[in-house]
């Protein structure tokens, strides 16, 4: 999981990673052939949502044309096929993250839904008045607001681990926040606003030594590094399919089986029950207990195909290529007067946030878009991070394994152009 | 889609670089704050109504070039005008930015403010151009605070003892 070990230093003049045939990979992504406004698309908003390869698109089409029915319900052939494919997708996800058991993978609509499930299923049952939850300044709003809702409902206190100027979580400060009231830690594995890789394994070990479970928001980590739930030993792990070359509307909450057994259901309805009468309802076993109603079957199967696709390329190769892109882009931006990189953690993944002297991020975004370069501008749903740096917003380029050194050059040229317009 | 660059015309860049009527206004009798929580932009407008006439007006804040230039040109335009004339411009500017007023074909009182007509092709930037005008409207009606979004931004809640 240590990105720097796999990183290949990009030589001056943009060396691509050897043995990584990015052009062949790009051919899998039909959307990358678009030319919005006549300019080749330079898609650098992968942290918001990544693109889908033909293999996943084809899988969705195959499901919808020959396998679709509702699952877990009927005895007819299509229902059996759909059920088997859906459960096969769960197996693929479990393997992708090296979970101990398949039933530890709960399909959700995404990271946000997964964290809300943890809050309602675990938080509302086991965390109460006077208890404390530790979060970090780096969190996405999805890992802040659900806990604030719990805090308000139950009288729970939220304590926040600060970050330093580089955007690194201070482990010393983290450890100092623990006391006998600490009941949960919520931490992003990779910051979506800064790209900082957080030493979650070390943080989990510290929390576990005090009997405190840890939820990891892996939305930005899952696309960029090999995940191993058994090695990490986290209690909850959440991510979204659409940042992983999969469909929208699907994601997972991984949780240890023992925790899932103890948790209360979040949503009630069909599929999550064994029997229902108006006197007494018995809940289903995990994972079904947490999957009320008809799930996004096609999306789950598509996500299964997406993790197959990523695994075939190899997460280590992906991480190495992205790291080369990030190093090269960082080098270029550091040389440009008036450009300031925000977030300079020693370990980073695929995200480059920056500001330009005298130019508001929205103006940067609009002008870059005119050159075909898609970046995200705004607060990235991480306003505490923005407050930490005293900026309302940043511009963010975020890379995927299908990006090229030439696209980094296009970003750099685009930024120069913005500076020219505003000089 | 129209060339977005047409929005970044020299007039707009100039007003962004050297905003007119920027700063505090000593004895303002009408004030309002405007903010766009989606991008963190905010600006405040202070003005002095002398009877029905806007005798003086100033703005300040943190925003993108489109918003700042819009505020700058707006203050220059409404200064000395009556409240009614300002309200007409507010309505027309909003209609232009949202594509309901075609300044080439329909009559209007916007003058040089038509340099902003290009925002109608950039839906994500319409709010940037309109924010100062909404805020001016609020100031004229002395509504203390306005927002481009509804008032339920969860991030207004405290997040503990960071
Ligand atoms: C770190 C992090 N957490 C949570 C989310 C929320 O993901 P989603 O909107 O897919 O639920 C995102 C992405 O926007 C993210 O980057």
């Amino acid at each position: 999981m240590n990105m720097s070990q796999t990183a290949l230093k990009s030589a001056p003049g943009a060396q691509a990673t050897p043995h990584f045939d990015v052009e062949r990979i790009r051919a899998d992504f039909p959307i990358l052939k678009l030319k919005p406004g006549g300019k080749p698309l330079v898609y650098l908003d992968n942290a918001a949502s990544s693109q889908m390869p033909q293999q996943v698109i084809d899988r969705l089409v195959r499901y919808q044309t020959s396998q679709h029915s509702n699952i877990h319900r009927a005895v007819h052939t299509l229902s059996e096929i759909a059920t088997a494919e859906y459960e096969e997708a769960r197996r693929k996800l479990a393997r992708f993250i090296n979970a101990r058991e398949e039933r530890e993978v709960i399909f959700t609509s995404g990271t946000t839904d997964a964290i809300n499930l943890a809050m309602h299923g675990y938080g509302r049952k086991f965390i109460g008045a006077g208890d404390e939850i530790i979060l970090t300044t780096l969190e996405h709003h999805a890992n802040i607001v659900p806990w604030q809702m719990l805090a308000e409902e139950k009288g729970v206190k939220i304590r926040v681990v600060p970050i330093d100027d580089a955007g690194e979580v201070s482990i010393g400060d983290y450890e100092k926040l623990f006391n006998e009231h600490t009941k949960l830690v919520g931490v992003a594995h990779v910051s979506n606003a800064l790209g900082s890789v957080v030493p979650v394994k070390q943080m989990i070990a510290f929390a576990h030594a005090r009997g405190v479970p840890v939820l990891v928001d892996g939305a930005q980590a899952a696309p960029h590094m090999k995940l191993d739930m058994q090695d990490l030993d986290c209690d909850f792990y959440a991510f979204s399919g659409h940042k992983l070359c999969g469909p929208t509307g699907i994601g997972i909450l991984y949780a240890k089986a023992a925790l899932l057994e103890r948790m209360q259901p979040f949503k009630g309805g069909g599929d999550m029950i064994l029997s229902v009468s108006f006197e007494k309802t018995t809940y289903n076993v995990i994972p079904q207990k947490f999957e009320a109603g008809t799930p996004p079957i096609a999306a789950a199967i598509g996500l299964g195909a997406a993790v197959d696709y990523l695994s075939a390329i190899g997460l280590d190769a992906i991480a190495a290529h992205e790291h080369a892109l990030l190093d090269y882009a960082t080098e270029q931006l550091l040389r440009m007067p008036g450009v300031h990189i925000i977030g300079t953690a020693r370990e980073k993944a695929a995200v480059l946030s920056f500001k330009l002297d005298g130019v508001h991020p929205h103006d940067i975004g609009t002008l870059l878009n005119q050159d075909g370069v898609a970046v995200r501008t705004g607060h990235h749903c991480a306003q505490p991070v923005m407050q930490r740096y005293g900026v309302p917003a940043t511009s963010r380029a975020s890379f995927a394994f299908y990006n090229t050194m030439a696209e980094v050059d296009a970003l750099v040229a685009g930024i120069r152009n913005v500076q020219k317009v505003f000089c | 889609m129209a060339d977005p660059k047409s929005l970044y015309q020299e007039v707009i860049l100039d007003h962004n670089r050297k905003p007119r009527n920027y700063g505090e206004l000593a004895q303002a009798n009408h004030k309002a704050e405007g903010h766009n929580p989606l991008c963190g932009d905010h600006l405040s407008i202070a003005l002095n109504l002398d009877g029905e006439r806007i005798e003086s007006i100033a703005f300040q804040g943190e925003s993108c070039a489109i918003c700042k230039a819009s505020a700058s040109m707006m203050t220059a335009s409404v200064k000395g005008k009556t409240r009614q004339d300002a309200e007409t411009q507010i309505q027309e500017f909003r209609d232009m930015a949202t594509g309901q007023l075609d300044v080439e074909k329909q009559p209007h009182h916007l003058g040089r403010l038509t340099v902003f007509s290009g925002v109608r092709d950039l839906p994500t930037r319409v709010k940037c151009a309109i924010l100062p005008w909404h805020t001016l409207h609020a100031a004229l009606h002395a509504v203390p605070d306005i927002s481009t979004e509804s008032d339920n931004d969860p991030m207004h809640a405290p997040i503990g003892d960071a």
Side-chain angles (χ1 to χ4, degrees):
Chain A
M1 210 146 297
N2 187 341
M3 302 279 297
S4 48
Q5 283 169 357
T6 48
L8 294 175
K9 267 270 166 278
S10 64
Q15 279 296 308
T17 321
H19 315 306
F20 193 84
D21 191 348
V22 69
E23 288 310 324
R24 223 195 67 210
I25 286 169
R26 290 177 70 79
D28 290 336
F29 291 81
I31 208 166
L32 297 180
K33 298 181 182 82
L34 289 184
K35 291 193 163 55
K39 304 266 173 64
L41 172 65
V42 176
Y43 188 75
L44 301 179
D45 193 18
N46 296 286
S49 206
S50 58
Q51 300 298 347
M52 192 184 276
Q54 192 63 49
Q55 288 84 337
V56 177
I57 298 170
D58 288 347
R59 186 65 191 90
L60 294 173
V61 171
R62 181 155 75 88
Y63 171 75
Q64 219 66 62
T65 43
S66 62
Q67 299 180 317
H68 172 66
S69 176
N70 212 325
I71 56 167
H72 300 139
R73 294 195 183 177
V75 295
H76 61 75
T77 309
L78 275 181
S79 181
E80 279 172 3
I81 293 174
T83 304
E85 295 296 337
Y86 180 75
E87 291 306 325
E88 176 60 19
R90 192 191 310 279
R91 256 189 302 283
K92 286 177 180 182
L93 268 298
R95 243 180 285 134
F96 183 68
I97 61 174
N98 195 29
R100 201 168 277 106
E101 305 175 55
E102 288 154 45
R103 62 191 184 120
E104 295 178 322
V105 173
I106 311 297
F107 281 121
T108 65
S109 73
T111 309
T112 304
D113 191 35
I115 296 172
N116 276 277
L117 165 54
M119 187 280 269
H120 284 274
Y122 183 85
R124 291 183 75 207
K125 185 162 176 192
F126 296 110
I127 304 175
D131 290 341
E132 297 185 2
I133 295 173
I134 296 177
L135 303 174
T136 84
T137 303
L138 288 177
E139 301 315 306
H140 186 282
H141 297 171
N143 202 23
I144 298 174
V145 182
W147 305 116
Q148 286 178 324
M149 292 164 76
L150 181 69
E152 192 169 332
E153 180 189 332
K154 301 267 189 179
V156 171
K157 186 169 174 186
I158 292 174
R159 311 195 71 185
V160 184
V161 193
I163 52 172
D164 63 17
D165 289 342
E168 293 187 9
V169 169
S170 148
I171 294 299
D173 288 326
Y174 165 70
E175 295 182 351
K176 272 186 248 148
L177 291 181
F178 279 81
N179 60 39
E180 69 275 21
H181 306 295
T182 311
K183 286 286 150 52
L184 183 77
V185 173
V187 56
H189 199 167
V190 171
S191 153
N192 70 309
L194 304 176
S196 323
V197 178
V198 179
V200 287
K201 190 173 171 183
Q202 189 185 342
M203 293 168 76
I204 291 164
F206 186 88
H208 284 180
R210 280 142 197 86
V212 176
V214 179
L215 177 143
V216 180
D217 173 355
Q220 294 298 337
H224 306 297
M225 56 181 72
K226 205 171 214 153
L227 295 180
D228 186 335
M229 292 303 114
Q230 296 183 55
D231 176 60
L232 210 53
D233 198 32
C234 58
D235 303 277
F236 302 95
Y237 200 96
F239 59 82
S240 301
H242 67 94
K243 298 185 198 284
L244 214 52
C245 302
T248 54
I250 191 76
I252 70 157
L253 177 70
Y254 157 86
K256 287 177 177 167
L259 276 173
L260 289 171
E261 300 278 15
R262 291 163 59 215
M263 279 162 61
Q264 62 190 10
F266 169 24
K267 297 170 186 164
D271 274 343
M272 56 76 70
I273 45 78
L274 283 179
S275 69
V276 174
S277 73
F278 282 103
E279 287 69 46
K280 181 169 173 54
T281 288
T282 313
Y283 299 138
N284 207 335
V285 296
I286 61 170
Q288 280 77 29
K289 179 169 127 188
F290 298 104
E291 294 181 2
T294 303
I297 308 166
I301 292 169
L303 178 55
V307 301
D308 276 352
Y309 179 83
L310 295 175
S311 303
I313 296 171
L315 267 296
D316 289 336
I318 285 173
H321 178 70
E322 290 172 348
H323 217 268
L325 290 167
L326 182 63
D327 278 354
Y328 178 56
T330 303
E331 226 172 81
Q332 298 296 304
L333 261 57
L334 280 175
R335 279 206 216 115
M336 298 173 77
V339 181
H340 308 278
I341 294 174
I342 301 191
T344 49
R346 278 159 295 179
E347 255 198 272
K348 280 180 65 173
V351 167
L352 194 56
S353 256
F354 60 93
K355 58 177 189 172
L356 295 189
D357 286 341
V359 193
H360 189 281
H362 274 162
D363 298 314
I364 299 171
T366 298
L367 285 163
L368 285 179
N369 181 58
Q370 185 198 326
D371 290 340
V373 180
V375 299
R376 167 87 193 266
T377 57
H379 56 56
H380 316 293
C381 298
Q383 288 183 332
V385 176
M386 300 296 112
Q387 286 151 16
R388 170 64 179 75
Y389 285 94
V391 294
T394 73
S395 304
R396 178 187 73 184
S398 55
F399 304 104
F401 54 95
Y402 45 66
N403 288 126
T404 66
M405 296 296 176
E407 290 183 309
V408 174
D409 292 336
L411 169 69
V412 170
I415 294 172
R416 284 221 179 84
N417 180 43
V418 173
Q419 289 181 314
K420 228 181 290 158
V421 170
F422 275 87
C423 72
Chain B
M1 195 174 102
D3 182 4
K5 200 173 216 160
S6 66
L7 191 54
Y8 291 88
Q9 290 175 31
E10 195 43 49
V11 200
I12 289 179
L13 293 170
D14 178 65
H15 274 268
N16 175 56
R17 238 176 264 127
K18 295 178 299 217
R20 324 295 196 262
N21 306 307
Y22 192 86
E24 304 268 354
L25 195 61
Q27 286 127 359
N29 54 20
H30 282 71
K31 278 185 189 174
E33 294 278 335
H35 72 284
N36 180 350
L38 291 182
C39 59
D41 284 0
H42 59 89
L43 88 169
S44 58
I45 285 176
L47 59 89
N48 246 317
L49 266 185
D50 179 10
E52 280 301 295
R53 209 176 61 88
I54 300 172
E55 190 230 355
S56 52
I57 180 166
F59 81 100
Q60 54 189 342
E62 183 97 39
S63 71
C64 65
I66 302 304
C67 182
K68 192 185 264 181
S70 175
S72 171
M73 292 179 72
M74 175 187 80
T75 54
S77 173
V78 300
K79 197 182 205 166
K81 290 211 166 66
T82 64
R83 183 207 291 257
Q84 187 48 48
D85 288 345
E87 291 288 3
T88 302
Q89 283 199 337
I90 291 168
Q91 188 57 45
E92 289 180 356
F93 191 93
R94 185 158 43 197
D95 287 349
M96 171 181 72
T98 54
Q100 292 166 67
L101 169 70
D102 184 342
V103 291
E104 309 268 284
K105 299 205 178 95
Q106 291 162 268
H108 60 81
H109 308 81
L110 290 172
R112 295 199 330 150
L113 291 162
T114 56
V115 290
F116 288 97
S117 64
V119 287
R120 64 168 181 256
D121 296 320
L122 299 169
T124 52
R125 305 303 303 277
V126 169
K127 282 176 179 170
C128 309
I130 288 183
L131 180 63
W133 297 85
H134 278 184
T135 312
L136 172 61
H137 179 76
L140 287 170
H141 292 260
V143 182
D145 204 332
I146 75 118
S147 163
T148 56
E149 301 303 302
S150 62
D151 224 17
N152 56 4
D153 183 1
M155 293 314 295
H156 286 149
I159 61 154
D161 54 348

